[in-house]
Amino acid sequence: QVQLVESGGGLVQAGDSLRLSCAASGRTFTYYTMGWFRQAPGKDREFVAAINWSGANTPYADSVKGRFTISRENAKNTVYLQMNNLEPEDTAVYYCAAITAVVRAYPPTSPREYGYWGQGTQVTVSS
């Protein structure tokens, strides 16, 4: 069983930055594919960013390209989402997710591919 715990959310103003963290359990974190998703009220959960085991492949949603950066620190079993120049449209609950069963060269963007999820952290951006 893998546990994911997000942290770093909060209330900020438009243009500010936040860094989300996701700490994962498990002795083979190095091989996990990790993703960040978000869900705003009344909307479906949507893909934000993902990273493969080596960090070499990092797809992003078009809406966050150039503003958000995903990274991982395998020695700490942690994945990060650096969010810069935040916009009110970024307001959502942000979820960390993991694929642990297989090693994926290219991270999938569909939430259905991810088997483990964190509890989410709220990000609110005021205008």
Side-chain angles (χ1 to χ4, degrees):
Q1 191 75 6
V2 173
Q3 291 186 324
L4 304 174
V5 180
E6 302 99 332
S7 61
L11 171 63
V12 297
Q13 293 186 330
D16 286 349
S17 298
L18 277 176
R19 188 177 79 157
L20 305 183
S21 299
C22 173
S25 64
R27 288 178 288 181
T28 57
F29 175 80
T30 298
Y31 301 108
Y32 296 173
T33 298
M34 302 298 297
W36 285 100
F37 294 79
R38 66 187 182 186
Q39 188 165 18
K43 294 189 176 181
D44 293 334
R45 190 169 298 189
E46 66 173 4
F47 170 75
V48 175
I51 188 166
N52 77 328
W53 68 275
S54 69
N57 292 315
T58 55
Y60 292 91
D62 287 343
S63 59
V64 307
K65 278 181 183 177
R67 300 188 298 122
F68 291 11
T69 302
I70 189 171
S71 61
R72 65 190 299 156
E73 192 169 357
N74 288 338
K76 293 186 176 181
N77 279 21
T78 301
V79 64
Y80 305 99
L81 185 68
Q82 177 67 43
M83 305 186 294
N84 297 330
N85 194 22
L86 283 160
E87 303 170 352
E89 293 74 21
D90 296 318
T91 295
V93 177
Y94 283 70
Y95 297 92
C96 173
I99 299 172
T100 66
V102 293
V103 177
R104 303 289 293 267
Y106 196 85
T109 60
S110 169
R112 292 189 298 272
E113 300 278 348
Y114 291 77
Y116 293 94
W117 293 82
Q119 81 289 349
T121 186
Q122 177 70 47
V123 172
T124 303
V125 185
S126 63
S127 57

